[in-house]
Amino acid sequence: DVKVTQSSRYLVKRTGEKVFLECVQDMDHENMFWYRQDPGLGLRLIYFSYDVKMKEKGDIPEGYSVSREKKERFSLILESASTNQTSMYLCASSLRWGGSGSKFYNEQFFGPGTRLTVL
Amino acid sequence: DAKTTQPTSMDCAEGRAANLPCNHSTISGNEYVYWYRQIHSQGPQYIIHGLKNNETNEMASLIITEDRKSSTLILPHATLRDTAVYYCIVRVGLSSGGGADGLTFGKGTHLIIQP
């Protein structure tokens, strides 16, 4: 089974702190994603990466950065946490290419989420 | 924007089949129908996807109408653990970007399994 793990389920930080959220997947997926999910706003893409050291901005990258030094690991960094970054953060991964007959055909597999509270 | 329409909520008795409808009248020829669900305080979970043929896996069945404008997710024997928000989305199965495009969820259907 595909497994995506996130370093923490719950995290409480203070305004101005630097925050690291770690995500690891064990299925050799090329694509990795960071989303945040807020009530009434649904799922929003922050950043994604399609290869080691490659990164692309999603819909709401402001206030965030990412790092992908190894294929299995994708880190989300809040350089200076603010209260409006209180949210559920979800990491996902997927194969870069799926083929006909492949079980993994553009599905994304999610981690359990990190609920971050910034005070 | 989500290109699907789903009922806001549904109830189903434990042990019965849960049938969740989804309308996607503007679906394109190269777009698949995907279903995910999200149990409270957990990450979304992939359930099933299909193009035009009906599909079945260990979790559910997906019935797609012949004109592909709507579909139904069927959980054959619902249990209390199936209580979740179910999201129906349409997206290309193999994008030119190699699949590196974000998911967009609508509001989904909150399925409540009653004991």
Side-chain angles (χ1 to χ4, degrees):
Chain A
D1 283 351
V2 177
K3 194 163 186 183
V4 180
T5 57
Q6 296 183 226
S7 50
S8 306
R9 288 302 308 273
Y10 300 94
L11 208 52
V12 179
K13 295 292 182 181
R14 297 208 174 272
T15 302
E17 279 193 81
K18 190 169 186 176
V19 182
F20 292 88
L21 302 182
E22 299 280 322
C23 175
V24 177
Q25 49 93 6
D26 66 358
M27 282 302 292
D28 204 33
H29 284 174
E30 293 84 0
N31 300 327
M32 295 189 76
F33 308 81
W34 274 107
Y35 295 89
R36 62 178 284 178
Q37 187 175 33
D38 302 285
L41 297 175
L43 207 62
R44 293 182 290 170
L45 181 65
I46 304 171
Y47 267 97
F48 64 94
S49 167
Y50 54 88
D51 202 351
V52 175
K53 297 192 184 296
M54 305 304 291
K55 58 185 179 184
E56 295 286 342
K57 293 179 180 179
D59 299 321
I60 51 162
E62 296 79 19
Y64 303 94
S65 62
V66 290
S67 172
R68 186 127 182 242
E69 296 298 318
K70 294 185 178 181
K71 190 176 185 180
E72 67 271 17
R73 189 179 297 270
F74 192 35
S75 302
L76 180 70
I77 303 153
L78 287 66
E79 294 290 341
S80 178
S82 63
T83 54
N84 63 11
Q85 292 179 309
T86 291
S87 185
M88 168 72 96
Y89 289 88
L90 293 160
C91 174
S93 71
S94 71
L95 279 175
R96 178 153 177 78
W97 292 107
S100 175
S102 166
K103 181 181 179 182
F104 304 107
Y105 205 83
N106 209 12
E107 308 103 294
Q108 291 186 16
F109 296 89
F110 285 82
T114 296
R115 187 165 291 283
L116 172 67
T117 301
V118 183
L119 302 175
Chain B
D1 291 334
K3 296 180 284 186
T4 63
T5 304
Q6 300 177 252
T8 303
S9 65
M10 293 181 63
D11 288 350
C12 178
E14 188 177 17
R16 304 297 293 269
N19 296 279
L20 292 91
C22 180
N23 288 322
H24 31 79
S25 58
T26 60
I27 191 170
S28 302
N30 64 344
E31 287 181 319
Y32 286 63
V33 180
Y34 286 78
W35 283 84
Y36 285 77
R37 74 179 182 183
Q38 189 168 20
I39 296 169
H40 182 62
S41 294
Q42 296 185 21
Q45 178 188 23
Y46 163 79
I47 301 173
I48 199 168
H49 73 275
L51 182 63
K52 53 184 178 181
N53 296 323
N54 298 337
E55 302 287 343
T56 295
N57 64 18
E58 62 277 6
M59 288 184 69
S61 295
L62 176 60
I63 309 298
I64 302 174
T65 58
E66 193 169 340
D67 63 8
R68 303 211 318 126
K69 293 184 177 181
S70 65
S71 61
T72 301
L73 178 75
I74 301 172
L75 308 178
H77 305 286
T79 70
L80 297 178
R81 288 177 294 179
D82 292 321
T83 292
V85 179
Y86 287 77
Y87 297 100
C88 166
I89 61 175
V90 295
R91 61 197 249 109
V92 293
L94 186 65
S95 70
S96 59
D101 51 324
L103 288 176
T104 300
F105 286 171
K107 291 186 171 21
T109 296
H110 187 193
L111 175 66
I112 300 170
I113 306 301
Q114 306 281 2

